[in-house]
Amino acid sequence: MALARDMFEAADKLSKHGHVSVLELKTFLAPIPKYAGFVTWLFSDPSQGKVFGQRGTQAKRKVAMARFKEVDLDGTGSIELEELQAAVKK
């Protein structure tokens, strides 16, 4: 999927090791207008629509990371291209 590959290449800037981290996604992908909505979705609370970082409590941050953790199928804390492709299809 070309969209996911473009997103991956835009985000994989720090160590270029085939994974994109939360930091890479938020730093390099979120500022790009055509990808910002995806990053907002990825780091939002699936049950309430709250975005990661809003209201600042640890419990809400964990909930906001729930969607990211669903996408991170192997539990590494970063996303591989295949995982990103699956997330983009959602």
Side-chain angles (χ1 to χ4, degrees), residues 8-43:
F8 192 86
E9 289 174 1
D12 192 20
K13 301 273 190 218
L14 293 177
S15 54
K16 294 202 178 236
H17 59 341
H19 300 130
V20 290
S21 66
V22 171
L23 178 65
E24 288 174 313
L25 289 164
K26 289 187 165 219
T27 301
F28 302 115
L29 202 60
I32 301 172
K34 66 181 177 179
Y35 304 138
F38 176 80
V39 176
T40 298
W41 170 83
L42 187 61
F43 294 105

Side-chain angles (χ1 to χ4, degrees):
M1 172 178 273
L3 176 61
R5 182 169 299 285
D6 291 345
M7 292 170 72
F8 192 86
E9 289 174 1
D12 192 20
K13 301 273 190 218
L14 293 177
S15 54
K16 294 202 178 236
H17 59 341
H19 300 130
V20 290
S21 66
V22 171
L23 178 65
E24 288 174 313
L25 289 164
K26 289 187 165 219
T27 301
F28 302 115
L29 202 60
I32 301 172
K34 66 181 177 179
Y35 304 138
F38 176 80
V39 176
T40 298
W41 170 83
L42 187 61
F43 294 105
S44 64
D45 177 344
S47 64
Q48 298 178 8
K50 293 208 171 26
V51 176
F52 176 77
Q54 288 180 340
R55 306 196 184 217
T57 66
Q58 284 291 46
K60 288 182 182 174
R61 287 184 189 147
K62 285 182 181 180
V63 172
M65 290 296 291
R67 186 171 285 131
F68 177 85
K69 289 179 181 180
E70 288 174 10
V71 171
D72 179 21
L73 299 174
D74 57 6
T76 60
S78 60
I79 297 176
E80 298 171 3
L81 178 58
E82 295 78 18
E83 294 168 327
L84 186 59
Q85 287 171 329
V88 168
K89 288 180 183 178
K90 292 181 181 186

